[in-house]
Amino acid sequence: MTALWDSALRTIQEKIAEPNYEMWLRPIECLDVNESNITLRAPNPYVRLWFESNYLPVILGEIHEQTGINFDVSFSEDASPESPDLPKAEVVYPTAPPAAEAIPQSYASQRAEGSDRVTSIGAAERPHLNPKYTFDAFVSGPSNQLARAAAEAAANHYPPKYNPIFICGGVGLGKTHLMHAVATRVLETRPDSHIVYITGEQFMNAYVQAIRSNEMQQFRDKFRNKCDLLLVDDVQFLAGKGGTQDEFFHTFNALHDSHRQIVVTADRKPFEIADIADRLRSRFAWGLMADVDTPELEVRVAILRKKAQSEGITLTDDIAMYIASNVHSNIRELEGALIRLAAFASLSNTPITLEFAEKTLAGSMAKPMGKVTIEGILKAVAQYYNVKTVELKSTKRHKSIAGPRAVAMYLARTHTNMSYPDLGRAFGGKHHTTIMSAVEKIEKKLIADLRIRSEVQSIESTLFR
Ligand code: ADP
Ligand code: MG
């Protein structure tokens, strides 16, 4: 059965640079695959962490493509023989998984057999709750206080005080973390609740599947009748998906009317989500909206300290400061830098000194200028506005294309070293003055138009991820 793993790995291998493959994927052993669970072993906790956060989702995606199955993954805790004294593998999951009998039947029955690390709660796709994403582990500061308070309110008030709660902000700023924290808290305090945690994308897939297999009744039962708390992560995915939006709208109303809490997250504010029905947009604004912003330096340092502590990594103040002052845009990246540092230190058997940190992280922190490409920009802009990259290069005048095109031109001019004539060519052979006036127009708008400013910031945050 491990052949399945091997074949997914081979497909991925072609897409990953050789040294990365050797360092992070080759050392992972696949011990067992049964119908719902894959058991892996990593040589040490750092390789495991890095692997989990960077490669595992892609591999699972690949396996899902091949088999249609969403596997759970557990890691065997026995350290391999080569690394007998690596620090505390068990710290990786500091929170013990709940004992089987403590889990209400409705959840227990949906848990994959043998997968005792993850609690699946309801959705057909069996989403996982990350045991590390708790309120305790969430560091607050001015950038995310309101979002945290909103999430706590969702978890603590029943019937809901604010409904819905809409949490928005750029990538890697803690939205998913807060969602999991809400679910975990509710499971602790009101274990009989039926919670559905699902991403916008999974909601759509479940809906399409339900139509296909003629199971709308079950679908509605699950999302409307049997659901006490609905958590929908990355709801912006529903943009442009009319049918799914309709279904979601009715789900929303049913839950809202019967005073059940709804929490959604998105990478932007409701009014910035293009292609979403106005009636849904206005529903989102009914309750409490809270945003997460990039955290202040002190908060970044505190997050690093906390993370280091929970992973058993020794981190001195000067190094925490060094990392935090060099990585600002998002917390996932901040954690990534820490884990990479710990991984390299453990693999090369070196203590983490400031010099070592500078050397190890230098490459990844020499940011972004040269690294952002025109292709990357076109792709990010196209994705954000839900248009095609060829349209960005076309001469179509329609507002829905011309607007995004101007933003792409502005970003290309700002973040690459290309000249105006170069840019003209890159945008499908336009005159350089066309680019210049687009750039100027956006520059002006950025001063006065909040909406454009936040759109541009969101796109930038994906570019520099
Ligand atoms: P988003 O869903 O907004 O893209 P995530 O919730 O996935 O972001 O967060 C990315 C990573 O950063 C996660 O590992 C999360 O635990 C961590 N993180 C984000 N915000 C905080 C915070 N305030 N305190 C501690 N960790 C955080
Ligand atoms: Mg998220």
Side-chain angles (χ1 to χ4, degrees), residues 53 130 132-141 143-144 148 167-180 197 233-234 265-267 292-293 295 299 302-304 306-307 330-336 339 465:
S53 47
N130 187 329
K132 289 187 247 181
Y133 290 178
T134 58
F135 284 119
D136 281 347
F138 192 85
V139 178
S140 326
S143 57
N144 58 27
R148 184 207 179 105
I167 298 176
C168 58
V171 216
L173 297 180
K175 300 182 299 295
T176 296
H177 186 132
L178 285 173
M179 288 289 235
H180 287 216
Y197 168 77
D233 209 352
D234 291 319
T265 73
D267 66 355
V292 283
D293 210 337
V299 178
I303 290 173
L304 280 172
K306 191 145 200 163
K307 183 83 184 169
N330 98 46
I331 299 168
R332 190 169 298 139
E333 204 172 299
L334 194 67
E335 293 184 344
I339 292 165
R465 191 174 348 181

